[in-house]
Amino acid sequence: MPKLYQPEAFAVPDGIYLDGNSLGLMPHAAKQAVERRLNEWATQAVVGWDEWFGLSESLSPQLARLAGARPEEVIATGSITANLHALLATFYRPQGQRRHLLATALDFPTDLYALRSWADREGAELRLIPSRDGHTLHPDDIAAAITDEIAIVLLPTVLYRSGQLLDVARWTAAAHQQGCLIGWDAAHSMGAVPHQFHDDGADFAVWCSYKYLNAGPGAPGGLYVHERHAGVLPGLRGWWGNDKTSQFQMDNEYRRAGDAGAYQLGTPPVLSLAALEGALEVYRGVDPEELRARSLELTDLLLALAEEQLPEMQVITPRPAAERGGHVSLQWQHNRQVSLALRARRIIPDYREPGILRLAPIPFYNNEDDVRGVVQAMREIIDSREYEAAGEGSAVS
Ligand SMILES: Cc1ncc(COP(=O)(O)O)c(C=O)c1O
C-alpha cells in the first residue's frame, strides 16, 4: 500500500496550495503519460489508434473503484454538462403527471442550465429544493420535494459552496420509493469521498476529473449508469458509443456498446485522456476509505482552528464528518480581498461569491503545517488590515 502523503509525486508550487477542489495539482505521472502518448503520435501517427481506441475503457476499472461501481457501469468521457445532457436525453421520459425535474437551489449553475433546457423542451417545471440558511439543505425539504410528479431527481453529492455531503443511499432510496429516477453530480466527491453508487442503486452519476482526480484543466470527466439500464438506447448517439467490435464496420447501423461506453459520442481527446490515465496512477492501491479518513483529519483541524482563531468568519460547512466532503468553507464579507492577500503570500485558496473561501487540504500533498499556515496567515491578514489593499483580482479563479 503506497503512503498517502506523496508531494514528491506532484508539481507543488512554492507556498501552500489548498485549491485541489477546483484544480488538482499536476501529478508527474500525468505529464509522463501525456509525453508517452505524444511520442506515440510522433512515431506511429495513425497506427497509434490501435492502442488509443480502447483508452477510455481501459480506465474504467480504476474509476469504478472510486465510484463504487462495476467497470462496465462507468466511462471516462465528456464534461459534466455534456454528460448530463446525454443522460437526460436518455432517462428523462415525462409521462402523465410525472413530468417535472427536481434539483436544488444551491446547485452549480451548469446543472440547472442543463436541466432547465430539458424542462423547457417538454413544457415541464424544474423544481428546486429550497435552502433554509442559504448554505445547506434540510432533509425534510429534500424529502418533501421528492413526489410522484417528479420524473428525475438530480442531487449534488457534495454542495459546491458549503461542502455539505448528502447521503446517496438515503436519497436514492427515497427517490425510488416515489418512482423517480435519480442522478448525482459527484464533482466534489469523486476522488475525495468513497462512493458505492452501484450498491446504493443510483441510476446515474456524473463527475469531472480536474478537481480531486488531478487530471488537469478541461480533462475528460466521467459517468456511471447502473447496470439495470445497460440495455437502454442512449438518447444521444455517436459512433464512439457503438459496440467496439463493430464500430469500424461502417455499415450505418448503430449497435449499442454493452457497457457505459455507449454514452460516448465522438472521437475521445486522447492527450487529455492520457493525463487522466497518468493521474489515476496516484490512486492505484490507495484505499479510498483511508484517503477519506486522512482528509477528515485535516479538515477537522482546519475547522477547529478556524473556529478558535477566525471568529469573524462564519463556518458554513456542516460539522459532522458524515455531512461534509473534502473542503471547508468560511464566509465573511471581505473574503474576496482576503483570498487575494493570501495569493500575494503564495497561499492559494479557492473563492466563490458571495464571500466564500473554500479550503481543501488534499491528503496527497497537504499536511497539518499547511492547515496551520493558512489559518495563521488569515489571522495576520485581518489583524494587519492587509486585505484592504487587495485589488479586484480575477473573475475566473
Ligand atoms: C458541482 C459542479 N458541477 C459541474 C461543474 C462544471 O461542469 P463542467 O465539467 O461541465 O464544466 C462544476 C465545476 O466546478 C461543479 O463544481
Side-chain angles (χ1 to χ4, degrees), residues 48-388:
W49 273 113
D50 287 351
E51 203 185 331
W52 308 329
F53 185 52
L55 186 54
S56 303
E57 286 77 5
S58 76
L59 305 180
S60 295
Q62 279 165 278
L63 290 171
R65 266 185 78 226
L66 302 176
R70 314 232 155 116
E72 316 80 67
E73 293 174 318
V74 304
I75 192 73
T77 189
S79 62
I80 288 178
T81 314
N83 290 338
L84 266 180
H85 279 295
L87 293 164
L88 289 168
T90 309
F91 292 110
Y92 178 45
R93 296 271 174 264
Q95 266 174 3
Q97 66 161 19
R98 187 184 292 287
R99 51 187 304 97
H100 304 300
L101 296 141
L102 180 66
T104 97
L106 301 177
D107 282 342
F108 194 86
T110 205
D111 295 25
L112 301 182
Y113 303 162
L115 289 163
R116 197 166 283 128
S117 53
W118 286 89
D120 287 351
R121 276 172 65 119
E122 295 294 336
E125 293 167 25
L126 171 58
R127 296 190 181 164
L128 300 182
I129 300 164
S131 168
R132 300 181 186 192
D133 61 3
H135 303 303
T136 56
L137 299 169
H138 192 286
D140 292 349
D141 296 332
I142 304 178
I146 301 176
T147 69
D148 61 6
E149 295 183 347
I150 302 295
I152 289 206
V153 182
L154 179 75
L155 291 177
T157 51
V158 171
L159 274 64
Y160 79 104
R161 275 193 290 230
S162 67
Q164 181 186 13
L165 172 67
L166 299 184
D167 184 336
V168 174
R170 175 179 179 181
W171 298 118
T172 297
H176 288 168
Q177 207 164 17
Q178 287 294 327
C180 319
L181 294 179
I182 182 163
W184 292 90
D185 179 341
H188 288 272
S189 57
M190 193 61 179
V193 179
H195 280 302
Q196 288 78 38
F197 283 128
H198 176 89
D199 287 349
D200 291 344
D203 293 290
F204 63 85
V206 291
W207 58 84
C208 58
S209 42
Y210 41 77
K211 298 178 187 293
Y212 293 95
L213 295 183
N214 310 307
L223 60 82
Y224 146 90
V225 178
H226 195 282
E227 68 178 4
R228 79 172 80 89
H229 302 300
V232 175
L233 204 57
L236 298 184
R237 296 187 277 280
W239 76 310
W240 225 267
N242 199 88
D243 177 54
K244 283 271 162 281
T245 57
S246 59
Q247 181 175 338
F248 273 87
Q249 285 176 15
M250 306 294 196
D251 60 3
N252 296 354
E253 195 189 324
Y254 175 85
R255 297 178 189 83
R256 184 200 192 287
D259 59 13
Y263 294 94
Q264 296 171 98
L265 294 173
T267 310
V270 170
L271 298 178
S272 330
L273 265 180
L276 176 60
E277 180 187 21
L280 286 173
E281 287 303 310
V282 173
Y283 278 89
R284 198 180 281 283
V286 166
D287 176 356
E289 297 289 346
E290 206 182 311
L291 188 68
R292 167 71 170 156
R294 178 65 184 143
S295 159
L296 285 172
E297 264 175 30
L298 292 169
T299 49
D300 275 342
L301 176 65
L302 180 50
L303 282 164
L305 291 176
E307 280 170 352
E308 181 190 301
Q309 294 178 33
L310 300 168
E312 47 283 274
M313 306 257 168
Q314 188 196 349
V315 177
I316 63 168
T317 305
R319 307 299 192 286
E323 292 176 30
R324 62 187 156 86
H327 72 266
V328 167
S329 302
L330 308 173
Q331 191 172 35
W332 189 45
Q333 57 179 327
H334 300 298
N335 268 349
R336 180 173 240 323
Q337 289 125 298
V338 171
S339 80
L340 294 170
L342 282 168
R343 281 186 173 206
R345 290 174 174 232
R346 293 186 165 278
I347 299 176
I348 312 291
D350 183 86
Y351 179 78
R352 284 286 173 266
E353 294 294 346
I356 297 169
L357 262 184
R358 300 185 301 185
L359 301 169
I362 307 294
F364 291 134
Y365 50 78
N366 291 121
N367 61 17
E368 279 78 0
D369 290 345
D370 297 337
V371 172
R372 289 198 184 89
V374 70
V375 174
Q376 188 185 330
M378 283 166 75
R379 188 67 262 149
E380 287 169 16
I381 286 166
I382 297 169
D383 287 345
S384 64
R385 298 188 158 267
E386 206 174 306
Y387 68 89
E388 289 180 354

